[in-house]
Amino acid sequence: MKLKVIIHDAEEGGYWAEVPAIEGCATQGDTFEDLLENIYEAIEGCLSVDVASIEVTEKDRVMEIAV
């Protein structure tokens, strides 16, 4: 899966980024390298779901797939 990320210069220095395809998914970093690391963490956090809060029966399967 490929996602577009919009990177902005932050007024106070550093950078901030948003992922338009995922509502509310944004992060920041003091350096561009920090920002790149934080983007991956932000996307993972925005897409993660706590399966424990979902009712799963014996007939159901929980799978993790890479996209």
Side-chain angles (χ1 to χ4, degrees):
M1 170 188 286
K2 291 184 180 182
L3 295 170
K4 291 191 188 282
V5 176
I6 301 173
I7 299 171
H8 308 274
D9 290 327
E11 291 181 18
E12 63 278 354
Y15 304 91
W16 72 277
E18 57 186 321
V19 184
I22 306 172
E23 186 176 342
C25 189
T27 190
Q28 61 86 34
D30 292 330
T31 66
F32 190 76
E33 291 76 21
D34 289 340
L35 178 69
L36 290 179
E37 287 180 29
N38 294 341
I39 288 171
Y40 286 102
E41 289 179 17
I43 292 170
E44 183 178 348
C46 289
L47 294 178
S48 67
V49 175
D50 184 9
V51 178
S53 65
I54 300 172
E55 187 175 326
V56 180
T57 68
E58 293 176 3
K59 294 181 182 180
D60 299 327
R61 290 186 231 177
V62 177
M63 296 177 59
E64 186 172 306
I65 60 172
V67 292

